[in-house]
């Protein structure tokens, strides 16, 4: 959109962006030239920009706005807590009712044997905390040499030094001299992109076996933990073949290492269960949480800790780690209200039984599009692979930016989809209706059509 046709207020805000604001994950030169799209209000599953355009939010913000925008119950919970107790730290043997009640509520929905919660301000901070806690655990057990954490290539676990190291995204590693020592990576279970001639089942077994291979290479006595998202989100909604998680469970049962499930995206209903770990029947020792915990209304993250792990660290003296905003009372109050909405309105059950299956059926109709090599999804997660040739799964040259083209067409058509290279991904609010899913798929197909027109035949 030409800057000449923008209203004065939009131009004023874009000038502020150029002059003062450093946005995350942005090319600052490009952002200064184009100017950001200014989002000014939201309701339900829709956003509006400063030019008055209505946009269906197919990404729930950043995977987080589970119960939709404009929920007065969450606004009221924050307001009430601010009036009563706007802030109190959880340092120095103090606590607040809101933080304690939220910890109890989370333990009640967590997998069995996970009854303790450490609060942070984000998922990135949660995964930094995981790194600290698993090393503290092994040191307390008298095995300080068990420090190495195994993760996966193309995983996303946050963007701090520790969490970005745990992640496996090469672009992030290249900019920070990462990963830090003590973190190693194995292949991801991405059959479409990396499975070659193997069947999905065979590839799932192969990918899982890389965990055992790495444990033996590093030495079990040196390995502290394995961390993984049940479904890789930012990496491209990578849903492992059905053979993957059963084999991982089998491998973990043979070795004395901890398992960390990063539930920042999958947690709080996105798979149609409370956690992705519930869906796959995996039993983590720690679970990182954030995003859907407060539906994004207030920043909050944390980790759920198993009784097994707590029994050890509770004997280890001070855990010298924490954040000013750990267990922030306002965030905790919003989290409690958010969990209440998810339960009382049966939102997760509706995703599991109704809207999730409907989204997946409609999404798979896009498989007939000439630009689409694969469609996959689960619950309120979906991915559309853009290819030049369906049979060989050949991509367009990266310089053409097929994914970025599709993202831009989508945004201009009133739909937010995200591009992970040439994989288009969606994760709409859990409250999306079937009629809104129809709208989402109609706009997605139009965006694919326009993208195909822009690409060389």
């Amino acid at each position: 959109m030409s800057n000449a046709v923008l209203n004065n207020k939009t131009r004023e805000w874009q000038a502020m962006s150029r002059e003062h604001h450093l946005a995350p994950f942005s090319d600052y030169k490009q952002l200064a030239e184009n100017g950001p799209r200014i989002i000014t209000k939201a309701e339900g599953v829709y956003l509006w920009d400063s030019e008055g355009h209505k946009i269906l939010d197919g990404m729930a913000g950043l995977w987080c706005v589970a119960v939709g925008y404009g929920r007065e119950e969450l606004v009221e919970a924050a307001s009430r807590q601010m009036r009563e107790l706007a802030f109190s730290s959880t340092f120095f043997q103090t606590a607040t009712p809101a933080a304690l009640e939220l910890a109890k509520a989370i333990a009640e929905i967590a997998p069995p044997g996970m009854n303790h919660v450490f609060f942070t301000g984000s998922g990135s901070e949660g995964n930094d905390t995981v790194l600290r806690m698993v090393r503290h655990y092994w040191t307390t057990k008298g095995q300080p040499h068990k420090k190495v954490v195994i993760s996966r290539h193309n995983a996303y676990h946050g963007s701090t030094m520790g969490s970005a190291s745990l992640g496996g995204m090469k672009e992030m590693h290249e900019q920070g001299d990462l990963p830090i020592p003590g973190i190693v990576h194995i292949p991801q279970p991405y059959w479409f992109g990396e499975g070659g001639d193997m069947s999905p089942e065979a590839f799932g077994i192969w990918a899982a076996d890389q965990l055992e291979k790495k444990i033996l290479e590093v030495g079990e006595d040196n390995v502290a933990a394995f961390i993984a998202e049940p479904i890789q989100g930012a990496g491209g909604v990578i849903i492992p073949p059905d053979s993957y998680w059963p084999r991982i469970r089998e491998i973990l049962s043979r070795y004395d290492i901890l398992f960390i499930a990063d539930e920042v995206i999958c947690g709080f209903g996105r798979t149609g269960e409370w956690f992705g770990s519930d869906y796959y029947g995996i039993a983590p020792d720690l679970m990182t949480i954030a995003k859907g915990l407060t539906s994004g209304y207030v920043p909050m993250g944390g980790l759920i800790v198993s009784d097994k792990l707590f029994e050890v660290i509770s004997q280890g003296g001070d855990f010298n780690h924490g954040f000013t905003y750990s267990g922030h009372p306002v965030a905790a109050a919003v989290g409690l209200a958010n969990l209440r909405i998810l339960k009382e309105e049966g939102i997760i059950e509706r995703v599991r039984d109704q809207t999730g299956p409907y989204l997946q059926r409609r999404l798979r109709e896009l498989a007939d599009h000439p630009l689409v090599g694969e469609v996959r999804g689960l619950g309120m997660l979906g991915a559309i692979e853009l290819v030049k040739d369906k049979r060989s799964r050949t991509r367009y040259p990266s310089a053409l930016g097929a994914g970025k083209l599709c993202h831009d067409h989508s945004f201009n058509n009133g739909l937010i989809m995200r591009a992970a290279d040439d994989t288009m991904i969606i994760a709409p609010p859990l409250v999306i209706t079937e009629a809104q899913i129809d709208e989402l798929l109609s706009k997605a197909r139009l965006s694919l059509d326009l993208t195909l027109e822009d690409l060389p035949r």
Side-chain angles (χ1 to χ4, degrees), residues 120-127 160 264 288-290 299-302:
T120 66
S122 67
S124 293
E125 289 180 1
N127 281 322
T160 60
V264 169
T288 320
I289 55 174
M300 191 174 218

Side-chain angles (χ1 to χ4, degrees), residues 311-334:
E311 286 169 9
V312 172
I313 64 171
S314 65
Q315 303 304 314
D318 281 2
F319 180 45
N320 295 307
H321 177 79
F323 305 94
T324 300
Y325 301 119
S326 291
H328 194 290
V330 177
V334 172

Side-chain angles (χ1 to χ4, degrees), residues 197-211:
D197 295 331
M198 279 189 272
S199 68
E201 181 182 13
F203 179 73
I205 296 293
W206 177 86
D209 284 347
Q210 302 313 298
L211 172 59

Side-chain angles (χ1 to χ4, degrees), residues 299-311:
M300 191 174 218
L303 54 146
I304 311 174
V305 178
S306 67
D307 298 347
K308 163 189 147 181
L309 194 141
F310 174 74
E311 286 169 9

Side-chain angles (χ1 to χ4, degrees), residues 48 73 111 121 125 146 178 234 237 240 254 277 314 332 368 393 413 440:
W48 280 264
E73 304 97 313
E125 289 180 1
K146 284 177 78 73
L178 302 177
V237 182
R254 294 200 286 269
S277 296
S314 65
D368 66 0
R393 309 203 292 266
N413 294 333
L440 188 158

Side-chain angles (χ1 to χ4, degrees), residues 34-353:
N34 298 332
R37 192 163 187 175
I38 309 297
I39 305 300
T40 55
K41 66 175 184 176
E43 184 71 26
V45 301
Y46 295 100
L47 306 168
W48 280 264
D49 69 15
S50 55
E51 298 295 305
H53 300 120
K54 184 179 180 181
I55 309 154
L56 198 164
D57 186 0
M59 282 304 303
L62 277 177
W63 322 83
C64 53
V65 188
V67 300
Y69 297 96
R71 296 299 302 245
E72 284 299 322
E73 304 97 313
L74 302 189
V75 176
E76 177 56 32
S79 176
R80 185 169 56 247
Q81 184 61 51
M82 282 185 179
R83 291 190 187 98
E84 186 172 307
L85 177 65
F87 177 78
S88 180
S89 88
T90 51
F91 284 34
F92 315 124
Q93 298 189 8
T94 63
T96 67
L100 299 177
E101 289 168 15
L102 180 58
K104 180 176 183 289
I106 292 170
E108 288 171 351
I109 60 173
M114 303 195 77
N115 290 296
H116 306 272
V117 182
F118 186 103
F119 288 114
T120 66
S122 67
S124 293
E125 289 180 1
N127 281 322
D128 265 6
T129 302
V130 158
L131 192 56
R132 293 284 305 279
M133 191 173 284
V134 297
R135 290 178 174 176
H136 178 52
Y137 168 84
W138 288 114
T139 299
T140 303
K141 285 196 75 172
Q143 296 173 268
H145 44 278
K146 284 177 78 73
K147 294 187 188 312
V148 176
V149 177
I150 301 171
S151 183
R152 303 185 296 197
H153 295 301
N154 198 39
Y156 184 83
H157 295 300
S159 60
T160 60
M161 291 292 281
S163 60
S165 294
L166 287 171
M169 295 195 161
K170 62 181 182 180
E171 296 86 355
M172 297 176 71
H173 288 179
E174 288 167 357
Q175 288 188 337
D177 195 21
L178 302 177
I180 59 176
I183 297 171
V184 297
H185 297 82
I186 60 174
Q188 60 184 331
Y190 181 21
W191 174 80
F192 183 84
E194 300 176 6
D197 295 331
M198 279 189 272
S199 68
E201 181 182 13
F203 179 73
I205 296 293
W206 177 86
D209 284 347
Q210 302 313 298
L211 172 59
E212 184 165 43
K213 182 179 177 183
K214 186 61 73 173
I215 292 169
L216 295 174
E217 176 190 315
V218 174
E220 181 184 1
D221 287 346
N222 298 314
V223 177
F226 170 56
I227 184 170
E229 304 158 86
I231 295 169
Q232 285 169 247
V237 182
I238 295 165
I239 299 175
D242 291 342
S243 57
Y244 182 79
W245 279 116
R247 184 59 157 245
I248 289 288
R249 287 199 305 269
E250 197 180 303
I251 292 166
L252 289 171
S253 71
R254 294 200 286 269
Y255 297 95
D256 188 21
I257 68 172
L258 299 173
F259 173 46
I260 306 153
D262 184 334
E263 294 272 3
V264 169
I265 286 173
C266 292
F268 305 102
R270 192 147 291 280
T271 64
E273 301 289 345
W274 275 103
F275 297 98
S277 296
D278 296 326
Y279 181 86
Y280 285 110
I282 49 184
D285 297 292
L286 302 102
M287 292 167 52
T288 320
I289 55 174
K291 296 191 184 292
L293 171 58
T294 63
S295 281
Y297 278 55
V298 183
M300 191 174 218
L303 54 146
I304 311 174
V305 178
S306 67
D307 298 347
K308 163 189 147 181
L309 194 141
F310 174 74
E311 286 169 9
V312 172
I313 64 171
S314 65
Q315 303 304 314
D318 281 2
F319 180 45
N320 295 307
H321 177 79
F323 305 94
T324 300
Y325 301 119
S326 291
H328 194 290
V330 177
V334 172
L336 274 168
N338 181 64
L339 295 186
R340 195 175 302 120
I341 290 171
L342 288 170
K343 287 181 179 179
E344 292 178 356
E345 296 186 6
I347 290 171
I348 295 172
E349 292 80 4
R350 189 159 68 246
V351 168
R352 182 191 65 207
D353 300 332

